[in-house]
Amino acid sequence: MTDQTVVADGRRARRERNRAAVIDAMFELMGDGHLPPSVDEVASRAQVSVSSVFRYFDNLDDLLQQTVARYFERFAPLFEVPAVPDGDVDDRIAALVAARLDLWEAIGPIARMARIRAADQPKLAAVLAETRRDLAAQVRTHFAPDLDGLARADVDDRVALIDCLSAFESWDLLTGTHGRSRQLVDRAWTSGVRALLAPT
């Protein structure tokens, strides 16, 4: 290995470390409620210069998209709902409600920002749309034993309503505008999902 190769490898490693530090800084600032963080705040938290931020990323939108990707990577386990194949409907309801509350409490700031910026960022809008489809499909799979035997239209209606009820927008409205605690949201969602799954 030549000296030039060693120097190039060192520069590449330093660049990747600094890029990661900038993404982590954006991640942390958004978690602290800075929506959106300024480039000066990001640079200061990452301990790099403002000009370095723009060397590592095309623009702030590029940084935001990569920060969202980091969120998905870090919180991937929270997007899952524990399977309850042998439980009754109340067990499945409890599992879904707890999983959604854990998820939204963990990613609330980035989820809020993603929805704000998706209107003018097609790539971010596409990620958000795919995530919403996945969460809806998850509801359908999770409650398959309780929806079995219903007409397709009835299944579709109930899946859509349960998905809306437990969505980020519902959680944000209940905890923000209505000041509901986790316990109260849990109670409301549990009651609502149970009603939607009740036989007609």
Side-chain angles (χ1 to χ4, degrees):
M1 183 179 294
T2 67
D3 290 344
Q4 287 183 331
T5 301
V6 171
V7 170
D9 287 347
R11 287 175 178 168
R12 190 176 302 110
R14 184 168 60 252
R15 175 183 174 84
E16 289 307 311
R17 283 197 304 271
N18 287 345
R19 275 177 54 86
V22 171
I23 291 173
D24 286 341
M26 183 82 160
F27 185 96
E28 292 166 4
L29 285 164
M30 294 177 76
D32 292 343
H34 297 259
L35 300 174
S38 70
V39 67
D40 289 329
E41 289 175 319
V42 172
S44 176
R45 180 70 67 95
Q47 298 184 336
V48 300
S49 66
V50 170
S51 61
S52 292
V53 173
F54 291 110
R55 280 201 303 272
Y56 304 140
F57 303 93
D58 294 338
N59 48 47
L60 287 178
D61 288 344
D62 179 34
L63 173 55
L64 176 61
Q65 289 171 13
Q66 296 199 41
T67 303
V68 170
R70 177 67 62 87
Y71 252 83
F72 278 112
E73 177 184 308
R74 187 168 296 184
F75 291 112
L78 293 181
F79 283 85
E80 301 300 322
V81 177
V84 191
D86 300 324
D88 61 18
V89 64
D90 285 335
D91 294 330
R92 280 185 287 277
I93 293 170
L96 178 86
V97 169
R100 289 292 188 266
L101 287 172
D102 288 345
L103 174 63
W104 303 138
E105 287 175 355
I107 72 165
I110 192 70
R112 195 172 294 112
M113 176 58 69
R115 282 155 178 77
I116 292 170
R117 301 302 297 275
D120 56 8
Q121 291 192 36
K123 289 183 180 178
L124 194 55
V127 170
L128 189 56
E130 181 179 2
T131 301
R132 284 170 166 158
R133 287 192 295 270
D134 288 345
L135 292 177
Q138 195 176 59
V139 169
R140 187 181 298 273
T141 300
H142 187 69
F143 290 115
D146 313 295
L147 298 169
D148 186 43
L150 295 177
R152 177 61 183 266
D154 288 336
V155 171
D156 290 346
D157 286 346
R158 295 184 193 207
V159 167
L161 287 169
I162 292 169
D163 181 48
C164 289
L165 181 65
S166 59
F168 170 78
E169 290 79 2
S170 170
W171 175 83
D172 203 30
L173 186 63
L174 286 166
T175 57
T177 301
H178 297 287
R180 292 294 194 267
S181 65
R182 177 181 175 123
Q183 182 179 6
L184 292 177
V185 176
D186 188 315
R187 185 182 69 184
W189 282 4
T190 298
S191 176
V193 175
R194 185 181 292 122
L196 287 166
L197 292 173
T200 55

